[in-house]
Every structure is written in C-alpha cells, then in structure tokens.
Amino acid sequence: MAESFGLTVRAQPLGSQQDSNFLLTEPAGSVAGVLKIANPAFTAAEIEAQDAAAERAAAAGLRAGTVLHGPVTVPAGGGPVDGSMALARVLRYLPGGTLAGAERYLSPRVVAGLGTVAGQLSLALRPFTHPGLDRVLQWDLRHALRVVTTLAGHVRDEGLRARVTSAAEAAWNRVEPLAGRLPWQTVHGDVTDDNVVCRLERGLRTPDGIIDFGDLTSSWAVGELAVAITSVLRHAGAEPCSVLPAVRAFGELRPLSAEEAAVLWPLVVLRAAVLVVSGEQQAAIDGVNDYVTGALEHERRLFERAMSVPAEVMTGLILAELGLGGGPRPPGSGPVPDLRPVDLAPVDLGRCAVLDLSVQSGAADEGAWLEPGLEDRLAAGLLAQGYDAVATRFGEARLTASAMLAGVSPAAVATGIDLWTAGQVELPAGLTVRRDGDRVHVSLPTEGGPEVPPLVRPEYAAGWLSLVADPGPLLGLPAAVPAGRDDLLRRREASFAAVQEHYYRDPPRIERGWRHHLAATDGRVYLDMVNNVTVLGHAHPRVEAAVARQLRRLNTNSRFNYASVVEFSERLAGLLPDPLDTVFLVNSGSEAVDLALRLALVATGHQDVVAVREAYHGWTYASDAVSTSTADNPNALSTRPLWVHVVDAPNSYRGRYRGTGADTESVRYSGDAVRAIGELAASGRPPAAFLAEPYYGNAGGMPLPDGYLAAVYAEVRRHGGLAVADEVQVGYGRLGRWFWGFEQQGVVPDVVTVAKAMGNGYPLGAVVTSRAIAARYRDAGYFFSSTGGSPVSSVVGLAVLDVIRDEGLQANAARVGSHLKARLEELAVRHQLIGAVHGSGLYLGVEFVRDRGTLEPATEETAAICDRMLELGVIIQPTSDRMCVLKIKPPLCLDVAGADFFADALDRVLTEGW
Ligand code: PMP
C-alpha cells in the first residue's frame, strides 16, 4: 500500500463476489478507505466508467464509493506467475452499513428510502455515457430470459427448475411487446439491499448512499427500480405489496411511463428467476456449503414471493399506486387486457335486498360478525321477508370475512357479488358463476386473466379489482360506487386544529370496536392495547342498553330529584374508604382535576399547589397548569403559573434516585418533596394541595417509591393542605391487585379524582372527598354541571360498575396482567432494547433504552416499533416524557390469547427489526 498509494494502513479482507476488497485502517484506528482490486475481467475503460458514475452519484447528493487514490496496476490474484494484471484503487469508505441481512425487516420508510436512492441515481446517471458501458452483462434484465434458459440446467430441484423457467417465459412475454417503448439509459444495475448504505440516526437507518458500480451498464431505466424492489422481497415479513413505498418514492423523483409501470412486476419476476438460476450455477461451481445453501434459500424465498401474486394484479396495484389507473373497469372497456365482451342482457332479479356486510353494518353489531354462517342466515331472513333475491356488494370489505388476532390482513374485499334467490334465476351467460350451498357467487373477470378469488386482501384489492368489472348492472343492480381514495383524514385536518393530533401518520379508519378489538373499514381487525377508557371492552351491550333505555325515558340535569344519580353516588362513595363519602359528578378527568384544585384552594384558603414533574392531569386552565409532562406540552415547565410548584418525578428507574425497595436511593424522593413543601410553607406560601397520580401512570405504570405518599401527604397536611390523588388513569380496578392506586401506597387521600373508566367511553368524571371538605365549597359560591350526573351519565356509571363486578374484570386484570408481565419480562431477557417492564395488572409499561447502562431512551425506535406492531395487527402507543415506553392499558376484558398475541408480535418485531 505504501508503494502503490503512499498509505501506511492495515488491510482487512472484505467479502465480494467479483473483486477483492479490503478495509484499510490507519495506525490510529480510523478507516482510510476501501482497497478495491478489480476483477481482471474488467477493462480499464469499464473501471473508468464505474468511477465516473460514482462521481455523478456523489455530485447528485448521494454518498458514493468514489475514488480517493489510484487507479494503479497491480498483479492480479494469481500474482505475476500467470502474468495477469488488475487495477487497484482506494475508494471512499461509507460508514453506517448496508440494508443487507435477509432476516431483518425493512420498514415502509426504509423501503421508500431505497426507492429514493434508486430514483436519485437514475436521474444522476441519465445524461451519463461512456465507452466502458458497452458490454453484455448477465445481470442486465434485457438478457434475463436468455440467462434463465441457459443456466436453468443448474437448478437441481426439477419442480423449481420448471417453475422458474415458465415464470421467466411468461414474464418475458409481457415485457417483450413493450420493450421498444422502454427508455434506456445508464443504470447502476445493482441498487440492492447489499449495496445501498444507510446513515444511522437516532436509532433508525435511512438509505442515503450507494456502493459497487460493478454492474454499471446501459439498459432499460425501469430496470434500476425492478432490481431494487426485488431485493426487498428477500427480507423478513416482506410480501409483494411491501415494495410499493419504493415504487412511489422512485416515481416521485423520476415518473414512470404507463409502459414502464406495466413491465415493472414482470421484470421483478425475471430478476428473481435470474437470481435463482445464478445462485444454483454458483453453487455448482463452489460446491454446496452452509453459506451457499442459506443464500439459495433466500433466493428461492424471494422468487416464491414474487410469484405469490399474479403479475396482472401487481401491475394493477402499481398503476394505482402511481396514479396511472387501476381499480375496477367497466365491462368491455380497454386497454389490454380486455374484459370479456359483454353483449349480455341484464336480468331482472325482482325485488332484491342488498346485504351490507361492511364494518359499519348493523347486522354485525354485538359481535354477530363472529358467528359462523351469519351471511347465509341474514340472506335467508330477508328472503323469508318476501324479497326475491339478496345480493352482496361488489368491492366491499366484509367484516364477516375478518378474523381477530391475525398478524396479516384478511381476504375480505369482494371481487364479485354473492346472490341468494327465492326461485330459479337464469343468469346471463358470460358471467362467471360459482355455486356454494344456497348462494351463487357471480363475477365478471378479464378474459384470459388469472383466476380471481371471491375475496382478496385489502392491500391487493386495487390490483384484483382492475381485473374485474362490477357484475351489478347485469343483475339489474345499481353499479357500486368506486371506493376511491378515502379523504377522511384530509377533511379532518381541514376542520380540526393542528394541535389535535391523531395516532399514526397513515391511520387505519376505525369504525367499530368489540371487546378488546378494533375493526377498520378495510376489514382488518386490530388488538387494542391502548383504550384504557373502554375498560369493559368496546360496544358493551349492557352499557348500550342502559343508555338507550334511559334516553327513551329521561335525561336532564342533577338539580332534579331522580334515583340514578343518588344510586351511582352511593355506589362510588362506597368504593372509597372513610371519610371519602361526598361525590361531585362531572364529565371528564380534566374537569375532575380542575374541581379538585378549586376545592383545595377554597377549603384551605391557601393559594399554591405542589405537583410532580412528568405528569399529565388535563387540559383546562387549572389542570393544565399542574400538567408538567413535556411530552404533552414541550413548554410545560417554563410556562408554569407562579402558584404551581413542582417536585422531582419519583421515577425509580431513571430519575435522580434509583432502585425499588426500602434500602434503595429512591426513598429519598419523599425527603426532597417534604423539604420542598416545608420550604414553601416557611416562605409564607403553604400549599393548598399536593397532587399526584398515586401510581405513576404517565411514566408507563411505575409504583411510587415505598412510603412516598405517606410522607408527602403527612407533610402537606401538617401545613394545612390537602392530599389529592388523581386516579383518572390508574384507578377503577386496572391495577389488578388494587382497585385504587393509593391502596398500593397504604394511604387515604383527602380528595380523589376519577374519570376515564367510569363511563367506558361515555363522558363521566367525579371528585370524591369528605363531607367536611366539600362543605367548605359552599363558601365559594355553588357547584353545578349541566350534564354531570345526568340520568344517562348515572345509569352508565352504574352499568360500568355492575359489569366490572359481574365479569370479574379486576381479577381478570390481575390474572391476565401478571401473565402478560411475565411474558414481557422473558422478552427483556432476550432483547437488549427492553430496559425495564413496569406496572401492575393491565397497566404495564415496556421501556426501551439504547443502552442499559446509560438508559439512553430509544424514542425513535419506540415510534417505529409501534408502526410495525400496527402492521402485525396490534394498536399500541408510546408514553412518558421520553416517549420510549409502550403503554399497555387495554380494555380489562383482555384474555390470555390476546396477551400472548401481543407478546408474540412484540417478540417478532424485536427479533426482525422495525
Ligand atoms: N388525569 C390523568 C392522570 C390523566 O391521565 C388524564 C387523561 N389522560 C386526565 C387527568 C384528563 O382526563 P380527560 O382527558 O378525561 O380530561
């Protein structure tokens, strides 16, 4: 190295298929570059072209392996003995790593990044020409069919060989007619997971660079994208639709023509076929070892995935993704492939009822969608009512076809119409008709196209529906309204303020809940690990019945004298220890906290309040003033009014004092808080209240240090102040072992705020205190809340308490919660990212850290994990000021199967990546 390049470095071999590569390190340890000794098969002109292309890529803003030193001529691998010489140069080293590793999951964000790199490169290389590009390469997709037929003999498995050959031929038949219209240019030719490098930023990889220009050639421009997206299919969890973010990102930079979009998937199939036969050829040369077998396995998987959805479907999907068409087609309309010519006369079915099987359908209420045979029963019922026929809707996502606890979306979107008829009906010839018991499935697919299943998965619906027409008009039914892109989010944004956030960047549209499940309009059903408000589970029939019954009779305000408000107040007070016997009913947690603070100010005559850091208590003026969480409000600490004083968050995992148990530092939190309260009092401002969650919910469900509330409550009371426990989030049985969070601390507060779970989603809140404290409120005027404690609110409150009791939900929270916590603790043994598992019952927190020593919060990873969990059918969100804790607070009806589904999905995400 010293002789050729004047460098004093250490060279360490790096694996490479065609060249010899070495990582060069300087004596001080820093990386000096990569020594690349080109395969002697490369001419000097080819190498010059590769290096010039790398310069182009770098000039376009990509990180690229450009030349630092050289080239110089050196003896090739065989040495001077065989006399052959090779070109050596030192290339820039790009830190950050590549996307390689088939067992790793590539997120839609990363896949889009891959498409962006391919698009940037395509634009950068478009004007580039060089004599060194004039060569014939095995990897050039223009020669793909020839490569496959030539090398197919190396494929030892006969079945696979036949499949690869016929797939390549079929794909070629799609490409060939359009080949003349495909734009050409210089392409890198190998923009794959192995060659795209990433910058690693705050725990997430973003593709931003490219190495290895060894396959540089002049070919179809769209081939650059085809090669890139084929490499996605190798990765864990990938399927054909996983490539769409890359297609969109590429298309945004370098728009695809309709012809390019039409050949894209066939080119993916050809690339996959080339990879299989080339891998087998290499195995024949190198002999089969473990490494080769593993690589072959991945190529085969990639090929099978490319073939798992018909090319026509993928083409329809790609066209729809690019805004170039797609979606259902009118009968008899072009272009290629055409639908069957329709000279069919519509039939008259007579009086026909349309069966709504969508997520919104009333027929699905109360979990009816889970009953087997529901569709047939509903149809029979309608026929019995005198209809001549019953028809389902074309293109509808059916809830009846959905499954709970499913890691992938269900085949739920109808590609035809199902019919039940009272008598014999002569259907128009030309329709595809399949009989299934009493029902007839009718569809109108493309002539000569692939067989279209009656139901398809929503991700592929745009592709499948582009191959069929709506048979409705031939049956005398109105044409289905094309679904189009759902613009609900845009409308929401137009009528909401930006400050009103929503979960997920691209959220599913949820229109139904049932128990601990949520159903989206595309038929996907998610496990709900977030809805703590819906403590009984979604759409509980007893709550619905209580509300409906009461609305039919009376709903008014609590100045009237009626039984339910009294019964509910008695029940609520009865759940609390003495002397907490007096109830104020309001509509939310914020109102409850606001009222609790007013009570404290009035009852004590003091002006100040002490709250803990990293807490959330509500949005009203007073409850916001004591909300110190910077996750909810980044200015929370700098904008405190003067009457609010904060003490440290008693976080025993990552706070100032750590450890759990009596002999740990964390007991010092109470000493600090006691001192702060004492100092306030000494300065002439004794606090009216000390307010905190009695179990630290906002930090992800952490118990307060032992004895914390006993000490702090005693001190605040010593100075005439009140102890306020905010049970809005952790109370009402969620903690399993305790109904109220303060029980865990062995204390009794002076004022308790309750909300969320009280109404199972109906707006209900309460403040419960002692008669003596409540009596002082009289001095400050009067209290009235129009809907607080209304007859409907009161019966809801009673129904919720009845169900919690009758269904044993607190005990269920304890049982399922401890099972789930044990599963999560087991995951923590295997996955370094889990720093701790907090919580009790069904209020659990999984805290993610980048380093178990420094506890650096894994904030971005947590957000990405939540996105990946959604893909796997789980709704979960982050919490804490660092947003690095999965907050697990599902409806309390969660069962062991649901808990296991969650833990398995999390295990998978932590294993495969996010
Ligand atoms: N207190 C706590 C502890 C809470 O978690 C919340 C809500 N997240 C509130 C009060 C405010 O309740 P609401 O949203 O019903 O106003």
Side-chain angles (χ1 to χ4, degrees), residues 745-816:
Q745 288 277 301
V747 293
V748 177
D750 300 309
V751 183
V752 171
T753 59
V754 200
K756 293 204 193 246
M758 274 176 83
N760 203 47
Y762 188 91
L764 232 57
V767 173
V768 189
T769 186
S770 67
R771 187 125 296 260
I773 292 169
R776 303 294 304 275
Y777 199 87
R778 239 326 177 201
D779 305 343
Y782 86 161
F783 172 80
F784 172 62
S785 163
S786 293
T787 49
S790 71
V792 171
S793 298
S794 300
V795 298
V796 169
L798 285 165
V800 169
L801 286 175
D802 287 347
V803 175
I804 290 180
R805 179 197 59 210
D806 296 350
E807 296 186 4
L809 293 182
Q810 185 183 345
N812 189 64
R815 187 176 64 88
V816 178

Side-chain angles (χ1 to χ4, degrees), residues 407-728:
V408 291
S409 63
V413 180
T415 57
I417 287 178
D418 289 354
L419 271 185
W420 292 259
T421 53
Q424 205 62 28
V425 174
E426 208 48 52
L427 291 171
L431 282 175
T432 300
V433 173
R434 253 177 286 183
R435 285 187 190 278
D436 174 15
D438 290 339
R439 102 172 64 186
V440 179
H441 174 76
V442 178
S443 64
L444 195 52
T446 308
E447 187 86 80
E451 189 177 333
V452 181
L455 296 169
V456 297
R457 290 178 53 208
E459 292 89 338
Y460 298 94
W464 284 109
L465 292 178
S466 72
L467 303 176
V468 291
D470 177 3
L474 293 173
L475 301 170
L477 299 169
V481 182
R485 283 210 183 256
D486 189 348
D487 70 343
L488 191 69
L489 213 54
R490 189 195 55 71
R491 280 167 50 206
R492 175 190 170 108
E493 272 149 20
S495 55
F496 266 38
V499 72
Q500 296 167 279
E501 294 175 0
H502 56 76
Y503 294 139
Y504 305 110
R505 202 166 17 171
D506 189 13
R509 179 169 171 181
I510 303 290
E511 297 284 1
R512 179 179 290 278
W514 178 244
R515 295 178 55 77
H516 45 284
H517 307 278
L518 289 170
T521 45
D522 65 0
R524 183 105 200 242
V525 178
Y526 297 91
L527 171 67
D528 176 10
M529 296 299 280
V530 154
N531 272 278
N532 56 343
V533 176
T534 327
V535 66
L536 314 179
H538 295 280
H540 200 287
R542 285 177 69 180
V543 176
E544 187 261 345
V547 171
R549 196 182 329 109
Q550 191 59 45
L551 277 175
R552 283 199 298 269
R553 292 178 194 162
L554 174 73
N555 201 20
T556 182
N557 71 66
S558 61
R559 284 192 198 135
F560 286 95
N561 184 26
Y562 48 89
S564 56
V565 70
V566 179
E567 284 170 15
F568 181 46
S569 301
E570 287 171 353
R571 282 279 290 279
L572 196 54
L575 291 167
L576 285 151
D578 287 341
L580 303 172
D581 58 3
T582 308
V583 178
F584 294 80
L585 292 173
V586 291
N587 307 287
S588 70
S590 301
E591 280 181 64
V593 170
D594 205 299
L595 176 59
L597 294 176
R598 263 176 79 94
L599 266 173
L601 296 177
V602 174
T604 63
H606 298 173
Q607 307 291 321
D608 295 80
V609 171
V610 176
V612 298
R613 282 178 196 259
E614 299 184 24
Y616 180 79
H617 296 291
W619 63 267
T620 62
Y621 177 74
S623 61
D624 172 65
V626 290
S627 292
T628 49
S629 162
T630 50
D632 295 300
N633 171 8
N635 304 318
L637 291 173
S638 55
T639 58
R640 282 312 91 215
L642 291 175
W643 55 271
V644 178
H645 307 273
V646 291
V647 293
D648 255 352
N651 184 327
S652 53
Y653 175 63
R654 61 159 62 249
R656 184 195 303 255
Y657 309 123
R658 297 181 185 176
T660 47
D663 332 319
T664 57
E665 271 195 340
S666 64
V667 294
R668 294 172 64 185
Y669 283 116
S670 59
D672 286 2
V674 164
R675 209 166 309 118
I677 292 169
E679 281 166 15
L680 260 184
S683 72
R685 307 184 70 162
F690 170 82
L691 165 76
E693 284 191 276
Y695 200 91
Y696 200 2
N698 208 47
M702 227 179 278
L704 301 178
D706 289 350
Y708 181 84
L709 286 185
V712 179
Y713 281 7
E715 183 65 4
V716 76
R717 283 170 176 152
R718 202 163 71 81
H719 297 288
L722 302 183
V724 183
D726 184 348
E727 295 277 357
V728 166

Side-chain angles (χ1 to χ4, degrees), residues 177-238:
L178 300 172
R181 284 185 273 157
L182 298 177
W184 278 48
Q185 67 166 67
T186 301
V187 293
H188 175 282
D190 205 13
V191 184
T192 61
D193 48 356
D194 283 335
N195 291 333
V196 168
V197 283
C198 299
R199 67 171 184 273
L200 189 64
E201 233 169 31
R202 282 172 284 144
L204 299 184
R205 296 177 298 163
T206 302
D208 71 343
I210 183 78
I211 54 174
D212 197 348
F213 286 71
D215 293 338
L216 193 76
T217 189
S218 180
S219 184
W220 294 320
V222 66
E224 197 83 289
L225 177 60
V227 167
I229 63 179
T230 310
S231 75
V232 171
L233 293 179
R234 197 197 320 254
H235 286 262

